[in-house]
Amino acid sequence: MFEALLGNGLILKKIIESIKELVTEVNFEVTSEAISLQAMDASHVALVVLVLRASEFEEYRCDRPQTLGVSITNLAKLLKIAGNDDSIILRAEDEAHVLTLVFTGKNNEKMCEFNLNLLTLDSEHLGIPEQEYSAEVTMSSSEFSRICRELTQVTDTLNLSVDKESVKFAVSGDIGAGSITMRANNSDKSEEKLILNVSDKVSMAFALRYLNLFNKASSLSDEVVVSLSPEVPVVLKFAFNLGELKYFLAPKIAEDA
Amino acid sequence: MFEALLGNGLILKKIIESIKELVTEVNFEVTSEAISLQAMDASHVALVVLVLRASEFEEYRCDRPQTLGVSITNLAKLLKIAGNDDSIILRAEDEAHVLTLVFTGKNNEKMCEFNLNLLTLDSEHLGIPEQEYSAEVTMSSSEFSRICRELTQVTDTLNLSVDKESVKFAVSGDIGAGSITMRANNSDKSEEKLILNVSDKVSMAFALRYLNLFNKASSLSDEVVVSLSPEVPVVLKFAFNLGELKYFLAPKIAEDA
Amino acid sequence: MFEALLGNGLILKKIIESIKELVTEVNFEVTSEAISLQAMDASHVALVVLVLRASEFEEYRCDRPQTLGVSITNLAKLLKIAGNDDSIILRAEDEAHVLTLVFTGKNNEKMCEFNLNLLTLDSEHLGIPEQEYSAEVTMSSSEFSRICRELTQVTDTLNLSVDKESVKFAVSGDIGAGSITMRANNSDKSEEKLILNVSDKVSMAFALRYLNLFNKASSLSDEVVVSLSPEVPVVLKFAFNLGELKYFLAPKIAEDA
């Protein structure tokens, strides 16, 4: 028996909205410690890693570890039925064929219960090596999102360069070239703040299309932490009360960096 | 000569918006008592019945009964020109070829007058038998609309079951199954309130696509009254100051009810 | 060297949005007096004339006149990157191959600089003869925009008639016919006000599609001045602090005017 009660169901709605365009069918691993998932996108360029800590749920019970194969597309449809203020219960019997979702709103006269059919999916649990990164950028997730979205106007590849003083988001395309540079600062305004933790400067290129997909998670956290090292995938980490959502993206072979 | 003055033109705009996706060309019957229409949708599954009482208009004159064949599509276009605060005059000469619409706003320096070409349409006035229903559900029109819209995420058929205590909106599809159950209550909040008037419990299935079309009328009335009896069309009634709009929909042969 | 600093960059964003659906590649003429452009739309029916006066910029320097061939489509993309509160610097070296745009926001830690590739375009500077017009209509640009947009519901040609007392916007199509008439008045409400300066009454027909495109400039100015004379193009003038934007449109041969 697995059962977890989430007082603030909105966060689960946001999490699923943040990953549903990247991954369509995934295995959730539920244990007594956490609900977690790891999944590559269809083109095997990006990796999504989600951990929701058991201790952060209002109620949590997991008698034995289970793998729940879920259609994210269908889960997103069911979660649309939950109100933003609803609490959400997730429940699965041992060797379950369905994941039960119960939505409870402030209106006690209304009960919503849905059973989502589970899927049997190949497992592809990837060992992600712990890694020291050359540069770590902590900034406003909405500002990072805005910059990536705007630069997509110009071209499809972002050249990201970080040194001890600043981050440079550069683009170059048929229409011209340009850059947005931000200097490290400890502003009181979370929008402007930029913390750099850099051992070696790095310059790498990434597909903006993926970064824009990852940035849907900016609704989950005010801050994003971007970790970079030459020739390894960049990590975007969005942390929130319940756990964290990380995206890994392989760099493009930078043409002029 | 027919002439009717409506101080609050917005309601007419909403009425036409509520039916224009179901019926495209209809006969309006104008008499000294009322403006009314009855029309089947193109697939002959749903029936729209509208009555606007003469006594509720600011001014109303109808020298002799007339049938006015109107393109709802085109009437909707013309009504878009009226401001939400405008009063609207409808006018037709005897044996008219056009329906004249005059929009008058707060700005007295501006006059809008349009003539809508009338059509000659086959008349298909249906005698709708007065009927006692097994169950009558009175609830918030916006809540009913929200539930239908959300369940459309799961599948295209709604199983509606009503007994003396509760209404159950159930769905079952490829992705899974589930239900929203509301218990009868007399809450002060109009959103939550649910009045049931049930002689025999009923369970019937309907196409959500049509219910969603009917629910456009939730802008006309805070409440919807849903009347059900086995094997006869369900009725959704939206009542408002000026009259009422009713939709009839034949049940689907319920697969598992 | 050409360099111009605009404290309020939003106006430049609005100007380019107002013309980008009409003209895609244009020559900007920069002189010590002004930045200006003249361009026909692709179908050679409409003419756009823009003048931005040097004296209205916060800083302005133009060592010698230059012609800068610009893709409006691409310029619009780059301007989307500028925040609404940003100041904008435009800069071009002598015999420039790029136009440099620098966006500066309130956040001093952030710098945005883009180079837009310039184009070599055929020049087609048209002498527009100064002209006395039979009728000049000054009215709310948003009201004019609303009327044109709404009448597009009915048909694609606007019959515009002006005499000393009123303006009549008439349409006639398959669905019917109608008109909106506004009387000259000096209302305190800018929305309602209508100033007529008429020597001879005129009645002319225009393609609503173009008027709707011109009306995007209603975001630049509360007022539009419409100048009419028989058989010559109508002029819509939108004036603002920085200069003015004028659109010229040849009349249709009026079918029934």
Side-chain angles (χ1 to χ4, degrees):
Chain A
M1 174 77 169
F2 158 71
E3 188 169 81
L5 164 62
L6 196 54
N8 166 18
L10 180 57
I11 199 158
L12 186 61
K13 291 167 63 107
K14 286 182 177 173
I15 290 169
I16 300 303
E17 287 300 309
S18 298
I19 64 174
K20 76 171 187 188
E21 286 180 54
L22 278 164
V23 292
T24 53
E25 302 188 334
V26 301
N27 279 327
F28 281 92
E29 308 293 336
V30 300
T31 68
S32 55
E33 324 269 84
I35 302 174
S36 58
L37 82 78
Q38 276 193 20
M40 300 291 290
D41 80 300
S43 59
H44 279 241
V45 173
L47 172 69
V48 177
V49 177
L50 172 72
V51 177
L52 306 178
R53 289 182 291 272
S55 57
E56 302 291 337
F57 285 79
E58 272 71 8
E59 292 172 28
Y60 193 96
R61 168 185 167 190
C62 184
D63 300 342
R64 59 189 192 89
Q66 271 198 80
T67 298
L68 305 173
V70 167
S71 157
I72 293 291
T73 313
N74 292 344
L75 177 57
K77 286 180 183 175
L78 291 185
L79 286 173
K80 283 224 175 109
I81 298 174
N84 284 347
D85 297 325
D86 286 5
S87 66
I88 296 180
I89 295 170
L90 304 173
R91 187 192 303 138
E93 303 301 322
D94 290 344
E95 311 201 24
H97 294 291
V98 297
L99 174 67
T100 301
L101 296 105
V102 179
F103 309 141
T104 309
K106 286 174 300 189
N107 176 354
N108 288 316
E109 309 295 346
K110 185 172 162 188
M111 283 167 300
C112 304
E113 181 164 331
F114 292 91
N115 290 322
L116 178 68
N117 291 337
L118 291 177
L119 312 170
T120 304
L121 303 172
D122 288 342
S123 199
E124 43 161 357
H125 199 86
L126 305 153
I128 300 162
E130 280 297 315
Q131 161 117 24
E132 288 291 309
Y133 286 93
S134 305
E136 195 182 81
V137 178
T138 304
M139 64 180 286
S140 155
S141 62
S142 58
E143 183 71 9
F144 184 79
S145 174
R146 206 175 88 96
I147 289 172
C148 291
R149 196 172 56 244
E150 287 167 345
L151 293 180
T152 307
Q153 300 281 340
V154 182
T155 186
D156 55 4
T157 300
L158 173 69
N159 291 288
L160 193 58
S161 306
V162 188
D163 60 25
K164 288 178 193 295
E165 281 82 39
S166 64
V167 186
K168 185 173 174 186
F169 304 84
V171 286
S172 176
D174 291 344
I175 80 174
S179 64
I180 298 176
T181 306
M182 288 183 74
R183 281 181 298 192
N185 74 84
N186 201 352
S187 169
D188 289 341
K189 296 190 195 163
S190 61
E191 273 296 292
E192 301 183 6
K193 195 168 166 177
L194 176 71
I195 307 294
L196 297 180
N197 188 350
V198 178
S199 55
D200 291 296
K201 65 180 180 179
V202 289
S203 184
M204 298 167 73
F206 301 102
L208 279 164
R209 196 173 85 76
Y210 282 97
L211 297 179
N212 288 331
L213 287 172
F214 302 166
N215 283 329
K216 291 183 186 274
S218 63
S219 69
L220 287 168
S221 175
D222 288 343
E223 270 186 2
V224 58
V225 181
V226 183
S227 301
L228 298 139
S229 274
E231 288 167 42
V232 304
V234 63
V235 189
L236 270 66
K237 183 173 85 176
F238 298 87
F240 41 92
N241 282 344
L242 201 59
E244 63 180 38
L245 178 54
K246 291 198 281 194
Y247 300 95
F248 294 75
L249 176 65
K252 291 181 115 173
I253 293 151
E255 287 125 76
D256 53 5
Chain B
M1 174 77 169
F2 157 71
E3 188 169 80
L5 165 62
L6 196 54
N8 166 18
L10 179 58
I11 199 158
L12 187 60
K13 290 168 65 108
K14 287 181 177 175
I15 290 168
I16 300 303
E17 288 299 309
S18 298
I19 64 175
K20 77 171 186 188
E21 284 178 56
L22 279 164
V23 293
T24 54
E25 302 189 335
V26 301
N27 278 329
F28 281 92
E29 307 293 336
V30 300
T31 68
S32 56
E33 323 271 83
I35 303 174
S36 58
L37 81 79
Q38 276 193 20
M40 300 291 289
D41 81 298
S43 58
H44 279 241
V45 172
L47 172 69
V48 177
V49 177
L50 172 72
V51 178
L52 305 178
R53 290 183 292 272
S55 56
E56 301 293 337
F57 285 79
E58 272 72 8
E59 291 172 27
Y60 193 95
R61 169 186 166 189
C62 183
D63 299 343
R64 59 191 193 86
Q66 270 199 80
T67 298
L68 305 173
V70 167
S71 158
I72 292 291
T73 314
N74 291 343
L75 178 57
K77 287 179 182 176
L78 289 185
L79 285 173
K80 283 225 175 109
I81 298 174
N84 284 347
D85 297 326
D86 285 5
S87 65
I88 295 180
I89 295 169
L90 304 173
R91 187 192 302 140
E93 303 300 323
D94 291 345
E95 311 199 23
H97 295 291
V98 296
L99 175 66
T100 301
L101 296 105
V102 179
F103 308 140
T104 309
K106 286 173 300 189
N107 175 356
N108 288 316
E109 309 295 346
K110 184 172 161 188
M111 283 168 298
C112 304
E113 182 165 329
F114 292 90
N115 290 322
L116 177 67
N117 291 337
L118 292 177
L119 312 170
T120 304
L121 303 172
D122 288 342
S123 199
E124 44 161 356
H125 198 85
L126 306 154
I128 301 164
E130 279 297 314
Q131 161 116 22
E132 288 291 308
Y133 286 93
S134 305
E136 196 183 81
V137 178
T138 304
M139 64 180 287
S140 155
S141 61
S142 57
E143 183 71 8
F144 183 79
S145 173
R146 205 175 87 97
I147 290 172
C148 292
R149 196 172 56 243
E150 288 168 346
L151 294 180
T152 307
Q153 300 279 340
V154 182
T155 185
D156 55 3
T157 299
L158 173 69
N159 290 288
L160 193 58
S161 306
V162 187
D163 60 25
K164 287 179 194 298
E165 281 82 40
S166 65
V167 186
K168 185 172 173 186
F169 304 84
V171 287
S172 177
D174 292 344
I175 80 173
S179 64
I180 298 175
T181 306
M182 289 183 73
R183 279 181 300 192
N185 74 84
N186 201 353
S187 168
D188 288 342
K189 295 191 195 163
S190 61
E191 273 295 291
E192 300 182 6
K193 194 170 168 177
L194 176 71
I195 308 294
L196 298 179
N197 188 350
V198 178
S199 56
D200 291 297
K201 65 181 180 179
V202 290
S203 182
M204 298 168 73
F206 301 101
L208 279 164
R209 195 175 84 77
Y210 281 97
L211 296 179
N212 288 332
L213 287 172
F214 302 166
N215 282 329
K216 291 184 185 274
S218 63
S219 69
L220 286 168
S221 175
D222 288 344
E223 270 185 3
V224 58
V225 181
V226 183
S227 301
L228 298 139
S229 274
E231 289 168 40
V232 305
V234 62
V235 189
L236 269 67
K237 183 172 86 174
F238 298 88
F240 42 92
N241 282 344
L242 201 60
E244 63 180 38
L245 178 55
K246 291 198 282 193
Y247 301 93
F248 294 75
L249 176 65
K252 291 180 115 172
I253 293 153
E255 287 125 77
D256 53 4
Chain C
M1 174 78 169
F2 157 72
E3 188 170 78
L5 164 62
L6 197 54
N8 167 18
L10 181 57
I11 199 157
L12 186 61
K13 289 166 67 108
K14 286 181 176 175
I15 291 168
I16 300 304
E17 287 300 308
S18 297
I19 64 175
K20 77 172 185 186
E21 285 180 54
L22 278 165
V23 293
T24 52
E25 301 189 334
V26 302
N27 279 327
F28 280 93
E29 307 292 336
V30 300
T31 68
S32 55
E33 324 270 81
I35 303 173
S36 58
L37 81 79
Q38 275 193 21
M40 300 291 288
D41 80 299
S43 59
H44 279 241
V45 173
L47 173 68
V48 176
V49 176
L50 172 71
V51 178
L52 305 177
R53 289 182 293 271
S55 56
E56 302 292 336
F57 285 80
E58 272 71 7
E59 290 173 28
Y60 193 95
R61 168 185 166 190
C62 185
D63 300 341
R64 60 192 191 85
Q66 271 198 79
T67 299
L68 306 173
V70 168
S71 157
I72 292 292
T73 312
N74 291 344
L75 177 57
K77 287 179 182 175
L78 290 185
L79 286 172
K80 283 222 174 109
I81 298 174
N84 284 347
D85 296 325
D86 285 5
S87 66
I88 295 180
I89 295 170
L90 304 173
R91 186 192 304 139
E93 304 299 323
D94 290 345
E95 311 200 24
H97 294 291
V98 297
L99 175 66
T100 301
L101 296 106
V102 179
F103 309 140
T104 310
K106 286 175 298 190
N107 175 354
N108 289 316
E109 309 296 344
K110 185 174 161 187
M111 283 168 297
C112 304
E113 181 164 330
F114 292 90
N115 290 321
L116 177 68
N117 291 337
L118 292 177
L119 312 170
T120 304
L121 303 172
D122 287 343
S123 199
E124 44 162 356
H125 199 85
L126 305 153
I128 301 162
E130 279 297 315
Q131 162 116 23
E132 288 291 307
Y133 287 92
S134 305
E136 195 183 81
V137 178
T138 305
M139 66 181 285
S140 155
S141 62
S142 58
E143 183 71 9
F144 183 80
S145 173
R146 205 176 87 97
I147 290 172
C148 291
R149 195 172 57 243
E150 286 167 347
L151 293 179
T152 307
Q153 300 280 341
V154 182
T155 186
D156 56 3
T157 301
L158 173 70
N159 290 290
L160 192 58
S161 306
V162 188
D163 61 25
K164 288 179 193 296
E165 281 81 40
S166 64
V167 186
K168 185 172 173 187
F169 304 83
V171 285
S172 177
D174 292 344
I175 81 174
S179 64
I180 298 175
T181 307
M182 289 184 72
R183 280 180 300 192
N185 75 83
N186 201 353
S187 169
D188 288 341
K189 296 189 195 164
S190 62
E191 273 296 290
E192 300 183 5
K193 194 169 168 177
L194 176 71
I195 308 294
L196 298 178
N197 187 351
V198 178
S199 55
D200 291 296
K201 65 180 180 181
V202 289
S203 182
M204 298 167 72
F206 301 102
L208 278 164
R209 196 174 84 77
Y210 282 98
L211 296 180
N212 288 332
L213 287 173
F214 301 167
N215 282 329
K216 291 184 185 275
S218 63
S219 68
L220 287 168
S221 175
D222 288 342
E223 270 186 3
V224 58
V225 181
V226 183
S227 301
L228 297 139
S229 274
E231 289 166 42
V232 304
V234 61
V235 188
L236 269 67
K237 184 172 86 176
F238 298 87
F240 41 92
N241 282 345
L242 201 60
E244 63 181 37
L245 178 56
K246 291 198 282 194
Y247 300 93
F248 294 76
L249 177 65
K252 290 179 115 174
I253 292 150
E255 287 124 76
D256 54 4

